[in-house]
Amino acid sequence: MFQNVIVRKPARSLVEGITSAPELGRPDYDLAVKQHQAYREALAACGVKVRVLEPLEAYPDSCFVEDTAVLTRHCAIVSNPGAASRNGEAREMLPTLREFFPPERIESIQTPGTLEGGDVMMVGDHFYVGRSARTNEEGIRQFLAILNRHGLTGSEVPLEKVLHLKTGVNYIENDTLLVSGEFVDKPEFRRFRKIVVPPEEAYGANCIWVNDRVLVPLGYPTVEREVRKAGYEVLLTDTSEYRKLDGGLSCLSLRF
């Protein structure tokens, strides 16, 4: 069960964030602020304490805090984002991590290694890490070594098409995965029960489990229906403005 969540309010510079889908248009900042507030309320309804950080105008993508660190039961691992414009975000997160973890339990990925939290999926004490355009071989090597030092395990998952691992596969506990696209038949995930997301709702695969509830993005009825059928209580959360910047529900928080 999660006890804490860290989020960061979107900066006004959000509208200049990185995107691979310019055809979706620029985010509406005021709407993004309202959606972020609703997201925080949904998390709080799951029984966690939400630590809200102030905006960082120097970093347009800084509301996507998941990419700055990987938080485990035993340690915090500060990332080294593969997108150059985001390198400083991980350093900005460090003071907050020190509120929750002692110094000997805070590790970091060092250059030339790169790693973004969106490429890491936690399944108990095992961590799947995607090798992507943002997370490289050296970053994964360091990450797995850190896990091993703290009694945890991990394994690499090569990515073919998506930006981050959790763009297309997300663990919602109870041995269940939401999968879309290239992840439907990945051998690494053969043992799991799978909820297959249709191509037209691929964005909806990025759901998050928080203390027996699942946050599902608004507007993906197949995903909502199948998650409910699997026995979960669903909280619908609108992330339309964050989708314009390749962001989803998991990207907006660190849960631990």
Side-chain angles (χ1 to χ4, degrees):
M1 303 291 279
F2 293 122
Q3 295 179 328
N4 296 287
V5 172
I6 298 170
V7 300
R8 187 180 295 281
K9 294 178 183 178
R12 289 191 173 276
S13 58
L14 173 79
V15 298
E16 305 298 335
I18 302 169
T19 182
S20 64
E23 69 277 5
L24 296 178
R26 287 160 64 92
D28 179 321
Y29 173 72
D30 291 334
L31 180 54
V33 168
K34 292 177 182 177
Q35 290 179 349
H36 199 269
Q37 175 64 37
Y39 177 75
R40 302 195 303 265
E41 292 171 358
L43 289 169
C46 297
V48 295
K49 183 177 180 180
V50 182
R51 175 77 161 86
V52 183
L53 306 182
E54 291 305 307
L56 291 175
E57 290 296 340
Y59 300 101
D61 295 286
S62 56
C63 60
F64 300 125
V65 293
E66 181 180 60
D67 289 324
T68 66
V70 176
L71 306 186
T72 79
R73 291 195 303 119
H74 300 300
C75 64
I77 305 171
V78 181
S79 72
N80 190 18
S85 65
R86 303 194 64 189
N87 285 156
E89 294 177 34
R91 292 191 299 272
E92 294 284 352
M93 184 58 68
L94 192 52
T96 302
L97 297 182
R98 288 173 178 150
E99 297 175 14
F100 298 96
F101 294 87
E104 67 274 14
R105 292 196 175 187
I106 299 178
E107 306 261 13
S108 61
I109 304 298
Q110 303 295 328
T111 303
T114 63
L115 182 135
E116 294 190 0
D119 277 320
V120 179
M121 182 175 71
M122 178 178 70
V123 178
D125 284 338
H126 186 84
F127 294 76
Y128 293 92
V129 54
R131 186 170 174 181
S132 70
R134 302 282 185 84
T135 297
N136 66 15
E137 181 180 8
E138 173 59 17
I140 293 174
R141 186 196 68 76
Q142 293 181 34
F143 181 70
L144 297 181
I146 292 169
L147 290 177
N148 289 338
R149 285 201 296 273
H150 291 273
L152 305 168
T153 61
S155 56
E156 179 181 329
V157 180
L159 306 187
E160 300 163 24
K161 298 177 182 179
V162 295
L163 174 66
H164 283 140
L165 179 72
K166 283 186 288 197
T167 301
V169 57
N170 289 270
Y171 186 59
I172 53 173
E173 302 297 320
N174 305 316
D175 216 33
T176 302
L177 292 174
L178 281 157
V179 294
S180 65
E182 66 187 86
F183 299 100
V184 173
D185 298 313
K186 283 274 190 193
E188 292 87 349
F189 304 125
R190 187 180 293 115
R191 74 172 182 86
F192 293 95
R193 176 175 68 153
K194 297 176 184 176
I195 297 174
V196 177
V197 177
E200 65 273 15
E201 293 191 21
Y203 177 82
N206 186 246
C207 298
I208 54 174
W209 178 96
V210 184
N211 300 346
D212 293 330
R213 296 180 176 183
V214 177
L215 274 64
V216 175
L218 181 68
Y220 301 88
T222 304
V223 176
E224 178 189 354
R225 182 179 68 248
E226 293 304 313
V227 172
R228 290 188 190 277
K229 281 175 57 178
Y232 297 93
E233 180 179 350
V234 167
L235 298 178
L236 292 176
T237 310
D238 193 357
T239 53
S240 65
E241 301 315 292
Y242 299 97
R243 183 187 180 192
K244 295 173 182 177
L245 300 176
D246 305 323
L249 285 168
S250 74
C251 309
L252 290 165
S253 62
L254 287 166
R255 304 162 300 281
F256 60 106

